[in-house]
Amino acid sequence: MLAWLLIAGVNGVAQKVLAQEYTDTVTTQAHESESTDLNSPPLSPINPMAQVTSVSQFKDVQPNDWAFQALQSLVERYGCIAGYPDSSYRGNRALTRYEFAAGINACLDRVNELITTATSDLVTREDLAILQKLQSEFAPELATLRGRVDSLEARTGEIEANQFSTTTKLSGLLIVGIQGRTNNRGDVNPRDGQKDTNDAGTNTDVISLAQLYLTSQITPSSYLFTGLLAGRGTSAPRFTNSVSRNDVLLGYEFPTDSLIVSDLNFHWLVTDKLAVMVGTEGVSMPAAFRGPNRVESAATGPLSYFAQRNPILNMGYGHGGIAIDWQFSKRASLQAIYTAYQPGNPAKGSGLFDGTRTTGVQLLLTPTDTLDLSLYYVNNYSSDGCLLTFVGDECLTAVNTTTGKSAPLQTNAVGATITWQVSPHLSAGAWGGYTKSYIPGQSGNVETTNYMVFLNFPDLLKKGNLGGIYVGQPPKITSSDLPVGNNVPDFINTGLGRAGGQPGTTTQIEAFYRFQLTDNISITPGIIHLLQPGNTPDNDSVTIGILRSTFSF
């Protein structure tokens, strides 16, 4: 009862005190002057608080006030609320320490009186006896509850003492994969229909990738994202030239010489519907564009880099720049980005505006809860003719044997991805992409296409598990009529670089099944089979077996 009286009394007298900190006398008087009703005289030694017997005596308390019932009970039933001689209560102003002491004293006096006299219509000795009996009967339960509260307080104290930071969240993941390729032979330079070179990447090897992330909350609507990455191992070498150098790159295959900064960018939610990302690392289309393939992840989704997303969305491999995400309607959003490959390099042909750079825009639509559709356009300038997608045909101009360099390219690319959630345990999707590139200031174009169709099986056999089947064509040069000497397909065939497209078509078939052992640990076995790797009809098919394990926190 005492606790209830104290809480109700303090809340009824001064609501604003909860937002104020302790200050000295001068500061307190300043607050008091600002919050007091200007029509009411200030508290002074000749204007003391006086006891009232009915809430109706307060001229500034109305029945529709949120604390009216509490005041009515405290005044008329317990008689421990005082007012001012001008018949005001002043419930909307901050109370002083003197007023608090006077109110508490009145309530304590009344409580002591009730306990002593055991008034029949309020608190009786029989009531107190019942309370004592209940306390005795439930003593074990109360002791258990007290122990749980003490344990909870101890655990909370330990968490507070050992937490990483009050403003920065630490997260990360570790991926370790074992993979091996079948023994294959290929038709390489010159492509003449003869299988004359062994695939050098047939040994079983181990690839690992470790990432740490720091998410630092700056304001309630902004944060700084920092990522550290270290990778070891690779599925290379493959054939001895560029025929199939990108036939399969695994999603977690990212060898580094040392620990590197993979992300350093600032996120700001400007409004409820508009977000901005700017930074020197990690500002790329995969990070800025929301993908319709909801299982996209190198750690827990498909195994290969190609099966993550349309390679067009990897173009330029951006590091630093700016991106926006605008949710302009309930089921439609627009993402846009400008990013550079070497934004911090001041050398000629590098930097934020002079080197390899990419501008992209994506329209993401969700017509229904089960259907996602994204349409995207990408404009890229490559200083060496390589689109940096790391999948299929991505270097589209041949290396000049005299200069050792390849011509730059300006590329326009379009693509679309669609995903349909057929049922809670099945989703189907597909994507397609087209690029058209030219050497600035010269005639001719080089064109590529790619596509993928896929099925995902969420919760297959067990909740949390995931199965997937992906079949597609990596980017392929379908035609190239750049100036003679620059066309890649004929350069591989004859070394002359005349006009023409690739003679074959690579098809990738991928299947995987993720076992979700715990919330933080998963194991994913899978298989990838390539037909005509390197878009070369006389290359042997390649089969790769993979076992990926992932730990995240």
Side-chain angles (χ1 to χ4, degrees):
M1 179 182 292
L2 175 60
W4 184 84
L5 291 173
L6 293 178
I7 294 171
V10 173
N11 284 341
V13 173
Q15 179 181 357
K16 294 183 181 179
V17 73
L18 297 177
Q20 295 178 349
E21 297 180 354
Y22 172 76
T23 55
D24 56 26
T25 305
V26 176
T27 307
T28 302
Q29 290 173 349
H31 283 303
E32 187 177 315
S33 175
E34 292 171 359
S35 59
T36 303
D37 187 349
L38 296 179
N39 296 322
S40 302
L43 182 65
S44 66
I46 60 174
N47 186 28
M49 300 175 68
Q51 182 64 50
V52 295
T53 59
S54 173
V55 71
S56 62
Q57 292 178 248
F58 294 135
K59 65 180 182 181
D60 57 349
V61 176
Q62 305 299 325
N64 58 352
D65 290 337
W66 69 271
F68 179 83
Q69 291 184 345
L71 290 173
Q72 186 179 41
S73 177
L74 289 171
V75 172
E76 300 178 2
R77 186 176 184 187
Y78 296 101
C80 66
I81 287 296
Y84 294 99
D86 64 347
S87 300
S88 67
Y89 179 62
R90 307 180 195 175
N92 290 325
R93 59 170 292 275
L95 82 167
T96 67
R97 294 163 66 90
Y98 293 110
E99 292 169 316
F100 179 78
I104 288 295
N105 184 66
C107 286
L108 289 176
D109 287 345
R110 183 57 177 161
V111 169
N112 289 330
E113 179 183 350
L114 293 174
I115 294 175
T116 302
T117 60
T119 306
S120 59
D121 62 339
L122 294 176
V123 180
T124 66
R125 295 188 182 277
E126 287 76 8
D127 293 335
L128 296 176
I130 292 173
L131 289 175
Q132 292 175 347
K133 183 178 179 181
L134 290 173
Q135 183 179 9
S136 176
E137 290 180 356
F138 289 93
E141 288 78 2
L142 292 173
T144 300
L145 180 61
R146 187 180 301 110
R148 291 181 177 178
V149 172
D150 292 342
S151 176
L152 181 60
E153 289 179 347
R155 292 176 62 185
T156 302
E158 181 180 359
I159 292 173
E160 291 177 348
N162 294 281
Q163 64 180 334
F164 177 75
S165 170
T166 57
T167 59
T168 300
K169 179 182 178 181
L170 174 66
S171 59
L173 62 87
L174 173 64
I175 305 173
V176 178
I178 302 175
Q179 49 280 318
R181 297 164 66 99
T182 57
N183 188 18
N184 307 280
R185 300 192 69 191
D187 175 18
V188 297
N189 295 17
R191 284 193 293 201
D192 54 7
Q194 301 296 321
K195 300 177 183 178
D196 48 17
T197 302
N198 290 325
D199 186 341
T202 56
N203 290 331
T204 301
D205 59 356
V206 176
I207 297 175
S208 64
L209 181 71
Q211 291 180 280
L212 289 176
Y213 301 111
L214 300 173
T215 305
S216 303
Q217 199 76 32
I218 307 301
T219 69
S221 60
S222 66
Y223 65 91
L224 178 67
F225 185 69
T226 306
L228 302 174
L229 181 148
R232 299 182 66 88
T234 174
S235 55
R238 300 184 178 88
F239 292 129
T240 56
N241 62 18
S242 61
V243 171
S244 60
R245 70 174 196 153
N246 291 323
D247 59 4
V248 170
L249 189 70
L250 299 177
Y252 50 90
E253 187 174 344
F254 195 86
T256 60
D257 295 331
S258 59
L259 187 67
I260 65 171
V261 177
S262 60
D263 295 272
L264 185 59
N265 44 71
F266 177 75
H267 296 246
W268 178 31
L269 187 63
V270 182
T271 69
D272 291 341
K273 297 181 179 181
L274 179 65
V276 175
M277 175 173 66
V278 60
T280 59
E281 287 290 344
V283 183
S284 62
M285 285 185 285
F289 288 4
R290 286 182 265 168
N293 186 2
R294 302 182 184 184
V295 304
E296 174 184 318
S297 170
T300 58
L303 295 164
S304 69
Y305 195 46
F306 176 39
Q308 298 297 321
R309 66 191 70 87
N310 193 320
I312 287 175
L313 298 178
N314 298 327
M315 192 180 300
Y317 196 69
H319 288 262
I322 185 171
I324 64 169
D325 188 343
W326 178 31
Q327 188 77 39
F328 61 87
S329 72
K330 181 178 180 180
R331 293 189 175 274
S333 65
L334 187 71
Q335 294 86 43
I337 188 172
Y338 177 86
T339 180
Y341 180 59
Q342 293 180 314
N345 188 343
K348 185 177 180 180
S350 298
L352 190 60
F353 302 106
D354 193 34
T356 297
R357 54 196 182 272
T358 304
T359 302
V361 61
Q362 174 181 254
L363 176 64
L364 181 61
L365 305 173
T366 308
T368 68
D369 292 341
T370 60
L371 188 65
D372 296 323
L373 172 63
S374 64
L375 307 171
Y376 31 89
Y377 164 77
V378 179
N379 181 277
N380 171 261
Y381 173 79
S382 170
S383 59
D384 61 358
C386 292
L387 302 183
L388 298 179
T389 62
F390 304 106
V391 177
D393 289 339
E394 54 122 12
C395 288
L396 307 183
T397 54
V399 177
N400 187 294
T401 55
T402 302
T403 63
K405 297 180 179 180
S406 53
L409 280 181
Q410 188 74 48
T411 300
N412 292 285
V414 293
T417 305
I418 186 170
T419 302
W420 176 32
Q421 189 74 34
V422 182
S423 73
H425 302 289
L426 173 64
S427 67
W431 73 62
Y434 168 80
T435 71
K436 187 174 184 178
S437 311
Y438 63 92
I439 300 174
Q442 298 189 32
S443 62
N445 297 282
V446 53
E447 302 177 17
T448 75
T449 61
N450 81 86
Y451 74 86
M452 177 72 80
V453 294
F454 57 88
L455 295 173
N456 292 315
F457 304 91
D459 299 328
L460 182 61
L461 301 181
K462 182 181 177 182
K463 185 175 179 58
N465 292 354
L466 174 69
I469 300 174
Y470 286 64
V471 180
Q473 173 209 296
K476 168 193 171 181
I477 297 176
T478 56
S479 69
S480 182
D481 61 355
L482 300 173
V484 173
N486 292 282
N487 300 288
V488 170
D490 186 64
F491 190 85
I492 297 175
N493 296 340
T494 67
L496 300 177
R498 297 168 299 189
Q502 291 286 28
T505 300
T506 300
T507 300
Q508 176 174 317
I509 305 170
E510 177 176 339
F512 66 90
Y513 182 74
R514 186 190 73 210
F515 294 89
Q516 195 68 40
L517 303 181
T518 69
D519 290 341
N520 305 98
I521 300 175
S522 66
I523 295 179
T524 309
I527 188 170
I528 298 174
H529 185 69
L530 296 178
L531 301 172
Q532 298 186 16
N535 296 305
T536 303
D538 295 304
N539 280 349
D540 284 346
S541 297
V542 174
T543 302
I544 306 171
I546 305 162
L547 182 63
R548 178 187 66 193
S549 58
T550 302
F551 168 72
S552 62
F553 65 93

